[in-house]
Amino acid sequence: MCKDTIVIREIKREDDSKIAKAIRSVLIEMGVPKVGTAYEDAALDCMTETYSQPTKTYFVVEEGDKILGGAGIAALDNYKGSVCELQKMYFMPKARGKGLGSKMMAKCLDFAKQVGFTQCYLETMPYMDDARKLYKKAGFESIDKPMGNTGHYSCTVWMLKDL
């Protein structure tokens, strides 16, 4: 993989099945439960439509015609206030350890600030050590309980960052 051939861009309709397959593949690899996590989200099969509103976005990591991962921003479900959620941030093994997570997160958080969010929330699994390290490095702090109601009851690590 050459950094010059990797592009981070907004999702397009033709990416929907590729990103759904990539995310589910990563979740299976990581041993994430298929219930109470992003694995069962109906949105995975229609990401372009899901993120088509002005205060939502989803970016993909592309190399050639392959989608290697992605991440998105949307308002936190079932929560009043200007809090967004970093959503569905997953990368195939080929894309890990190359700084793409930091770049992707910066792109997502910049978008969140531009559309007026003041905090960003995320949920993850306790054994996703590399992801948690990345989030801490970006300024996310652990919190004691979930915010809103994302339906991801199997995710037991919650983090928050001021934007």
Side-chain angles (χ1 to χ4, degrees), residues 10-24 38 41-53 56-60 67 69-74 87-90:
E10 285 191 61
I11 195 167
K12 299 177 193 171
R13 188 160 310 281
E14 58 266 23
D15 301 326
D16 282 356
S17 63
K18 294 176 185 178
I19 191 63
K21 183 178 178 183
I23 290 172
R24 287 188 175 113
D41 287 355
L44 274 188
D45 297 309
C46 54
M47 297 283 275
T48 305
E49 181 182 336
T50 299
Y51 290 92
S52 66
Q53 298 167 4
K56 293 182 175 185
T57 193
Y58 196 86
F59 298 102
V60 295
I67 299 298
I73 288 286
Q87 300 180 334
K88 295 173 181 56
M89 184 164 152
Y90 299 101

Side-chain angles (χ1 to χ4, degrees), residues 1 8 10 35 42 62 71 87 96 102 106-107 118-119 129 131 136 139 151:
M1 179 190 309
I8 296 177
E10 285 191 61
V35 295
E62 177 185 58
Q87 300 180 334
R96 296 179 200 152
S102 294
K107 204 162 180 62
T118 59
Q119 291 183 304
D129 295 329
K136 280 192 177 290

Side-chain angles (χ1 to χ4, degrees), residues 63-77:
E63 182 183 40
D65 65 346
K66 291 184 172 55
I67 299 298
L68 302 177
I73 288 286
L76 178 58
D77 282 343

Side-chain angles (χ1 to χ4, degrees), residues 8-9 15 31 68 106 110 141 153 161:
I8 296 177
R9 60 165 176 79
D15 301 326
L68 302 177
D110 284 347
E141 295 181 11
Y153 56 82
K161 173 184 173 61

